[in-house]
Amino acid sequence: MVIGFPNDRQVKDRPEPRDKVIRPEPSSNHGTLHDLNDQTRVASNSPKSSPSSMTSSSLITAIHTLFTTMPSLPLSNPIWTFLEHVYRLPNPPPSRVRDPSRPMRIICVGLPRTGTESLAQALFHLGYSHVYHGWDIVYDPSDLCYSPGWVRLARKKFYPVPGDVSQPKPGITRADFEELLGHCQAVTDAPASVFGAELIAAYPEAKVVLNMRRDEDKWQESLVKTIVKANESWGFWIASWLDRECFWAWHVYERFLWPSLFRCVGGYGELGRVVRGGGGMWVWREHCNMIRGLVPPDRLLEWYIEDGWEPLCQFLGKEIPDMPFPHANAAAGGWKAREEQCNKRWVERAFINLFLILVGIVSLGLFAWGVVVVVEMARVRAQCWTSSRLQSSMT
């Protein structure tokens, strides 16, 4: 599914106010996964290459087919459930337990790249104990991996199984969230934006912050440089098959959360096409309009990262701290540091596993070759022995 704007549609500089809802117009101007498949078929019907290049071209074609077709399988396909079982964690983390004296206070439902980590740090400075951010899904401070729990919630929201007795209650309940967020007083970024409607319903006493950026073009540029870039990373994708935690990091974000949030579940490359084509801005406006329709004005703060402390503290009833407002996770700063952390934690370990696999394959190959050599030598010796016996008997 690809979402885009008609050519004559102008992009606004900011989401529309509460009393003005934009309805999307149909568009068919953008390519889909079927177009990519058509192009692949056309390429496959082109004149055959010379025999000397057939091996390399066949390998490239096989890799391209794997990279484009495998991610296109519907996430309801049983193969993904099987892979989740194959990559299951040996020690699943325990469920969180809520301290009654620390209830959920703030839900920050803005989309990614709208100052979510800066806002998380600001809320921490205002006294809210543990503010859950999207990074916590894959970099939990306890070093436990809670990604499978978020995949389970994403399946429950986007891919419910009719008649599944393991899901007796429709939708996601407060108890479901408590298993993952029971230690938090605030939540931002991916969990809050992807599950915004469900969190608002689960915690009706919590205040809601709709965090935004005034410049949509800069927001889209930041999205392309970070989230889309990660989604199109061959290295990350390959590493996800070679390391258990890396598999879950890719699985939860690049297959479930981001494609579902931006309405582009359907294959490799669609997230980039949607965002670059303007569909991300449409999702942003529709998301903001949905939040305005769900939350009463007295519970909702529409806040821009450029606004800083004052409106946020006024809304929360806190004094303004004597410090600059935090600015974290910029594409060239904090995000880059997170990428390096990812390389250290998963990618390096994945390629060590790849090296060990290759060593194992080479070792098996050498062992098999050794067996063949021994068998062949034994056969030759047997033939020589038989020949010498025949010659001696003839004489």
Side-chain angles (χ1 to χ4, degrees):
M1 182 191 308
V2 175
I3 301 174
F5 287 114
N7 293 331
D8 59 347
R9 181 97 175 253
Q10 298 297 319
V11 177
K12 305 292 184 182
D13 289 336
R14 59 195 291 186
E16 293 294 332
R18 176 187 291 273
D19 59 349
K20 196 171 184 181
V21 177
I22 299 175
R23 300 197 175 275
E25 300 174 9
S27 171
S28 59
N29 296 332
H30 298 280
T32 64
L33 182 65
H34 300 291
D35 299 330
L36 181 60
N37 292 337
D38 292 340
Q39 294 169 10
T40 305
R41 283 194 291 271
V42 171
S44 66
N45 294 330
S46 60
K48 295 182 179 179
S49 57
S50 61
S52 60
S53 63
M54 285 185 66
T55 302
S56 59
S57 64
S58 299
L59 179 61
I60 293 173
T61 301
I63 294 174
H64 178 269
T65 302
L66 177 65
F67 196 57
T68 56
T69 304
M70 183 70 177
S72 305
L73 289 174
L75 291 171
S76 56
N77 192 298
I79 192 171
W80 294 117
T81 306
F82 170 73
L83 288 172
E84 288 170 10
H85 178 74
V86 170
Y87 285 90
R88 69 189 185 278
L89 300 172
N91 299 306
S95 299
R96 304 291 191 181
V97 178
R98 171 74 62 185
D99 181 347
S101 65
R102 298 167 55 198
M104 180 68 75
R105 298 285 191 187
I106 314 293
I107 304 170
C108 305
V109 293
L111 294 189
R113 311 310 302 165
T114 57
T116 56
E117 190 164 6
S118 300
L119 182 55
Q121 292 185 13
L123 293 174
F124 175 78
H125 286 301
L126 292 177
Y128 296 96
S129 59
H130 198 74
V131 182
Y132 199 90
H133 185 270
W135 287 116
D136 290 330
I137 292 178
V138 292
Y139 292 125
D140 192 90
S142 64
D143 273 343
L144 297 173
C145 182
Y146 282 85
S147 301
W150 290 105
V151 168
R152 178 176 54 81
L153 292 191
R155 282 196 178 281
K156 195 169 185 180
K157 175 172 181 174
F158 299 108
Y159 301 94
V161 180
D164 186 355
V165 295
S166 66
Q167 299 181 12
K169 296 181 180 179
I172 301 173
T173 65
R174 183 169 183 152
D176 292 326
F177 285 123
E178 287 290 276
E179 292 181 5
L180 301 168
L181 300 173
H183 61 310
C184 305
Q185 287 194 295
V187 55
T188 71
D189 198 58
S193 55
V194 175
F195 300 99
E198 291 79 11
L199 282 166
I200 290 168
Y203 299 98
E205 69 283 359
K207 293 186 176 181
V208 179
V209 176
L210 178 56
N211 44 300
M212 299 173 283
R213 289 177 67 169
R214 284 195 164 84
D215 192 327
E216 274 191 6
D217 293 327
K218 287 186 178 179
W219 172 76
Q220 176 176 286
E221 181 183 347
S222 176
L223 204 63
V224 170
K225 288 181 178 178
T226 54
I227 291 173
V228 172
K229 180 184 175 183
N231 183 260
E232 296 174 347
S233 169
W234 277 67
F236 190 11
W237 180 78
I238 293 171
S240 71
W241 298 106
L242 300 168
D243 180 79
R244 201 185 303 268
E245 283 190 25
C246 192
F247 169 83
W248 284 105
W250 178 276
H251 199 52
V252 68
Y253 270 119
E254 312 306 337
R255 292 196 184 102
F256 279 95
L257 299 189
W258 295 146
S260 300
L261 179 62
F262 289 100
R263 301 0 179 226
C264 55
V265 178
Y268 168 72
E270 284 206 18
L271 179 60
R273 286 194 289 272
V274 166
V275 173
R276 293 186 182 99
M281 296 183 182
W282 177 85
V283 169
W284 183 12
R285 289 200 290 269
E286 290 300 299
H287 179 80
C288 293
N289 289 330
M290 176 193 72
I291 298 301
R292 294 180 183 117
L294 291 174
V295 186
D298 60 330
R299 261 183 73 203
L300 176 65
L301 171 66
E302 297 189 24
W303 177 84
Y304 295 91
I305 183 65
E306 298 86 355
D307 293 343
W309 287 115
E310 187 174 351
L312 183 64
C313 292
Q314 183 178 357
F315 176 67
L316 299 176
K318 301 282 188 178
E319 294 185 1
I320 299 177
D322 186 17
M323 61 177 291
F325 192 85
H327 290 285
N329 209 21
W335 180 273
K336 189 68 177 176
R338 294 290 192 178
E339 282 187 327
E340 293 174 359
Q341 185 180 5
C342 169
N343 290 335
K344 274 287 183 186
R345 182 164 181 168
W346 300 322
V347 178
E348 288 183 7
R349 192 168 60 197
F351 281 95
I352 289 174
N353 292 341
L354 176 61
F355 174 76
L356 295 176
I357 290 171
L358 292 176
V359 168
I361 292 173
V362 171
S363 300
L364 287 174
L366 291 174
F367 176 76
W369 178 77
V371 171
V372 170
V373 169
V374 170
V375 171
E376 183 65 18
M377 290 178 64
R379 186 184 66 81
V380 171
R381 291 183 65 180
Q383 285 181 344
C384 293
W385 183 80
T386 303
S387 298
S388 65
R389 290 290 300 273
L390 286 173
Q391 290 177 359
S392 62
S393 63
M394 290 175 63
T395 57

